[in-house]
Amino acid sequence: MEAKIIAGGATNSLSPFRFSRLALLLAAIVFVPAGARADEYHLGVMDKLRIRVVEWQTAEGAVRDWAAVSGDYAVGASGNISLPFIGEVTAVGQTTSALAEEIGLKMQRLFGLRDRPSASVELAQYRPIYIAGEVQTPGEYPYAPNMTVLKAISLGGGLRRGDAGERFERDFIRAQGDAAVYVAERNRLLVRRARLQAEIAEKGGIDVPDQLKNEPNVVELVESETALMQSRDKRLKLQLTAIADLKTLLQNEIVSLAKKSDTQNRQLELVMKDREKVDNLAEKGLALSARKLAVEQQVADLQAALLDIDTASLKAKQEVNKAGQDETNLKNDWDAQLAQELQNTEQELDTLALKLGTSRDLMTEALSQSAQSASLARDAGAASITYSIVREKDGKAEEISATETTPVLPGDVIKANVSVAMR
């Protein structure tokens, strides 16, 4: 039995093995998560989404790619996204998984489909954050996961200073912010490297690097990479299982064809004996020519059927060999991918080590400048820095006090206020 795939109105026949590979692709769409905490994030205005919709048609044994609906979308000011055919769909406040399920339901109801289309909603870009107040460059900036107030302020160039004599403070804060960003990125890469090493060694868990044993957020980093490792391992096992199932199916088909060939051979032997009897009778003038032609036709049909069985058996054996080769290629590609990712991670760690060293040198220089310029600030006291975040909640904006380590969410407005207490 052949499966068919329908894309853009065209229908193409697929061999059983190619159909299996297509099923693996669909499985990858379902099981590969956008992030370890994607279900906890609720969408908001200006979030950018990447949507893909496909439909498995059970009756036809076919997959339809809804290319007209798939694409990149941004959540508008109304809190909705506008999809072809479907129209406006509420996105604000929803998770990506809930939005995907709603899109599938709406399409099933709109077109009266027997099978619900499968929608994949990926968060392509978070809505931006805004930095205001006493920062060097206030404005709109892109959001990145695990962002804190200090990291956000560093994006805006650090705190602003009007007096050129206090430039060392600005340089120190900027270098300190850069160093914090680099340290966070380094920690993430160290856990990623540990995860890749665990995958290469086929371990069930990730060993925490010695450099991170005292880091406060190491548990969250390890949990995130562990979730990713488990997802990747599940996807690989699904692919290998599908190939193994296909090989078993083809082997069973070969056995069945062999049995069918034996049956056809026995029938052919009986018909051949019958033909010999008819030939003997025909030589004696006791058999009609029509009877002889019928027997000859029966012999020819059985021989043709045997040839078809042999051809089908040969094709099934070829498909078994292809499946074995694909299994080997899948394992080799997986090993090569892990090795390449590990190499890239090592290179990124080397680059970050250089950047972090530069930031620390700049911080040391800024402190040195501070000692040399102490006389410029003898009439001024210590700088008082306060932060606050304006965040929208339930449709209303509220301002909350914050510190340098307070987590920042997409859409937040970070305000920095600096005051100098005079002696």
Side-chain angles (χ1 to χ4, degrees):
M1 177 179 179
E2 290 189 341
K4 298 182 179 179
I5 181 171
I6 302 175
T11 302
N12 298 313
S13 295
L14 294 177
S15 69
F17 176 62
R18 292 180 179 174
F19 169 71
S20 178
R21 295 181 69 178
L22 176 60
L24 292 177
L25 174 61
L26 293 177
I29 294 176
V30 173
F31 289 108
V32 177
R37 298 185 178 180
D39 291 340
E40 300 178 5
Y41 180 74
H42 293 270
L43 300 175
V45 176
M46 296 182 70
D47 277 335
K48 294 183 180 179
L49 308 176
R50 182 168 294 114
I51 298 176
R52 172 81 188 279
V53 182
V54 296
E55 174 196 355
W56 168 248
Q57 298 173 316
T58 304
E60 293 80 3
V63 173
R64 173 181 294 170
D65 187 351
W66 288 85
V69 180
S70 301
D72 292 341
Y73 300 89
V75 181
S78 62
N80 303 330
I81 56 174
S82 181
L83 299 175
F85 303 117
I86 302 176
E88 297 289 327
V89 178
T90 301
V92 167
Q94 293 210 65
T95 62
T96 54
S97 57
L99 181 59
E101 183 177 358
E102 183 176 353
I103 292 173
L105 286 172
K106 284 183 177 291
M107 291 190 64
Q108 184 180 25
R109 294 170 184 167
L110 177 64
F111 295 101
L113 302 174
R114 177 181 177 181
D115 300 293
R116 184 191 304 176
S118 176
S120 171
V121 179
E122 177 187 358
L123 187 61
Q125 183 177 331
Y126 293 96
R127 54 188 181 273
I129 61 170
Y130 304 88
I131 304 175
E134 296 297 324
V135 292
Q136 187 66 24
T137 311
E140 175 184 309
Y141 292 90
Y143 174 80
N146 300 323
M147 180 171 286
T148 62
V149 169
L150 180 60
K151 295 178 183 179
I153 294 298
S154 69
L155 292 178
L159 297 175
R160 182 171 56 222
R161 292 292 185 272
D163 188 352
E166 299 180 12
R167 179 179 175 183
F168 64 88
E169 295 182 38
R170 181 185 64 200
D171 292 342
F172 179 84
I173 293 175
R174 179 182 298 173
Q176 187 181 41
D178 291 342
V181 173
Y182 296 149
V183 168
E185 180 66 13
R186 183 205 60 187
N187 294 348
R188 186 180 65 83
L189 289 174
L190 286 173
V191 177
R192 182 203 292 177
R193 182 176 66 180
R195 186 255 300 169
L196 291 171
Q197 292 171 341
E199 287 182 313
I200 292 174
E202 297 183 354
K203 294 182 178 179
I206 299 174
D207 296 330
V208 179
D210 294 336
Q211 305 96 309
L212 303 181
K213 290 188 180 297
N214 297 323
E215 289 294 328
N217 63 335
V218 65
V219 175
E220 291 82 1
L221 292 174
V222 172
E223 288 178 351
S224 176
E225 291 294 331
T226 300
L228 178 59
M229 182 176 70
Q230 293 173 348
S231 174
R232 285 156 59 99
D233 181 66
K234 186 176 183 180
R235 180 179 60 177
L236 178 63
K237 288 181 178 178
L238 281 173
Q239 293 173 332
L240 292 174
T241 300
I243 293 177
D245 291 343
L246 176 62
K247 290 171 66 177
T248 301
L249 179 64
L250 291 172
Q251 293 288 359
N252 292 337
E253 182 180 354
I254 292 172
V255 173
S256 177
L257 289 171
K259 293 180 180 178
K260 188 175 181 181
S261 178
D262 292 339
T263 302
Q264 292 290 92
N265 279 318
R266 288 195 296 270
Q267 290 182 356
L268 181 60
E269 290 176 1
L270 294 175
V271 174
M272 293 291 288
K273 292 179 181 179
D274 190 24
R275 185 177 67 174
E276 291 178 1
K277 293 178 182 179
V278 172
D279 288 341
N280 292 334
L281 292 174
E283 290 177 358
K284 297 176 182 180
L286 299 177
L288 298 177
S289 58
R291 171 63 177 159
K292 183 176 181 180
L293 288 174
V295 173
E296 292 290 347
Q297 182 64 45
Q298 192 173 4
V299 170
D301 291 342
L302 288 172
Q303 290 175 340
L306 280 171
L307 182 60
D308 291 340
I309 292 172
D310 291 340
T311 302
S313 179
L314 179 60
K315 289 182 178 179
K317 292 177 181 178
Q318 291 175 340
E319 291 294 339
V320 169
N321 292 334
K322 289 181 181 178
Q325 184 62 44
D326 282 344
E327 182 178 19
T328 301
N329 291 340
L330 179 61
K331 293 178 180 178
N332 291 340
D333 291 344
W334 176 251
D335 292 340
Q337 179 184 345
L338 289 177
Q340 184 62 51
E341 289 182 4
L342 182 59
Q343 182 180 1
N344 293 340
T345 302
E346 295 286 2
Q347 293 176 352
E348 292 181 38
L349 281 170
D350 292 341
T351 301
L352 273 177
L354 293 174
K355 291 182 177 179
L356 187 57
T358 301
S359 294
R360 287 171 175 168
D361 291 341
L362 291 174
M363 292 168 64
T364 302
E365 182 183 358
L367 289 175
S368 175
Q369 291 175 353
S370 175
Q372 296 172 4
S373 306
S375 60
L376 296 176
R378 64 177 181 270
D379 294 330
S384 175
I385 306 172
T386 59
Y387 302 101
S388 63
I389 296 176
V390 179
R391 180 174 297 164
E392 185 173 341
K393 185 177 181 180
D394 299 329
K396 296 181 180 180
E398 60 178 5
E399 185 169 353
I400 57 178
S401 59
T403 63
E404 292 180 344
T405 58
T406 301
V408 175
L409 300 180
D412 281 353
V413 179
I414 299 94
K415 297 170 65 176
N417 300 306
V418 180
S419 60
V420 178
M422 302 302 294
R423 286 181 180 178

